[in-house]
Amino acid sequence: MTTRGVLYVHSAPRALCPHVEWAVGGVLGVRVSLDWIRQPAAAGHWRVELSWQGEPGTASRLASALRGWQLLRYEVTSEPCATAEGERYSSTPTLGIFHAVTGIHGDILIPEDRLRAVLLRAKTEGSDLEAELARLLGKPWDDELEPFRYAGEGAPVRWLHQVV
C-alpha cells in the first residue's frame, strides 16, 4: 500500500540545502537533487517543493529527518490511504513541530481525548478555550508560515517515488 504527499521546504539557508537533500534521499531511498529557488520572504534563504510517493509513515520519517534544524521552515503532508489516515507536519524555528491527522478532504481531525483535555483545562485552569483550539488546529504555525507559502507560488514541483 502506498500513499503520496508533498514536502514543502519554505525557508532554508543555502548551506543547509544539501543536508536537506541528503536527509530526504535517506528517507525515500533514492538520490535527491532538488531545484531550489530563492525565498523572497527571507533574504539569503531558499525554498523547494517535492511531491513524493511511498509507504504510509513516510511523512513522519521526512518530518523527523528534518527536525531540529533551527533555521528550517517546512511542511510535510501525506494523503490518507486504505491503511492510514492523512498527516500534516509543520515546523518553524520559533514554534517547533506541529502534527495533525487529516481526513480525505485535508481537514484536520482532532482526537476526542485532546478535545476533552482542552475543555477540562479551560474549565479548571481558566485557559483560553479559543487559543487552545487554535493551537490544536495548528493556527500559530499557519500564521508564521503564511508569508513563506505565498512567496513560493509558481515554484516548480518534482515527483519522486520511494523505492519499496
Side-chain angles (χ1 to χ4, degrees):
M1 185 59 57
T2 62
T3 186
R4 57 187 182 172
V6 181
L7 165 65
Y8 304 93
V9 177
H10 294 296
S11 163
R14 188 65 177 160
L16 198 52
C17 295
H19 299 282
V20 168
E21 291 180 6
W22 177 80
V24 171
V27 171
L28 298 178
V30 296
R31 186 176 179 279
V32 174
S33 178
L34 301 172
D35 297 322
W36 295 87
I37 60 172
R38 291 189 184 276
Q39 172 52 273
H45 284 237
W46 296 77
R47 62 168 283 110
V48 72
E49 294 180 18
L50 170 72
S51 295
W52 57 267
Q53 184 173 339
E55 59 189 40
T58 299
S60 174
R61 289 191 296 281
L62 286 168
S64 294
L66 300 178
R67 185 178 186 165
W69 288 334
Q70 279 302 312
L71 299 176
L72 195 63
R73 289 177 183 86
Y74 66 91
E75 292 180 278
V76 185
T77 64
S78 70
E79 295 179 359
C81 64
T83 59
E85 298 285 357
E87 294 181 286
R88 175 181 156 213
Y89 294 86
S90 302
S91 183
T92 73
T94 57
L95 297 171
I97 200 161
F98 167 79
H99 172 255
V101 174
T102 58
I104 193 166
H105 299 294
D107 297 326
I108 291 177
L109 307 175
I110 302 172
E112 178 180 333
D113 61 333
R114 293 185 73 190
L115 286 172
R116 289 177 196 264
V118 162
L119 290 171
L120 181 63
R121 271 195 307 277
K123 182 178 179 180
T124 60
E125 300 171 18
S127 66
D128 180 358
L129 182 58
E130 185 176 351
E132 293 265 5
L133 290 173
R135 189 165 176 79
L136 283 178
L137 293 170
K139 186 174 181 340
W141 287 265
D142 286 338
D143 291 345
E144 189 170 326
L145 290 172
E146 201 62 24
F148 297 91
R149 291 175 181 148
Y150 282 120
E153 285 185 5
V157 176
R158 174 178 288 176
W159 275 93
L160 284 184
H161 300 277
Q162 181 178 12
V163 177
V164 183

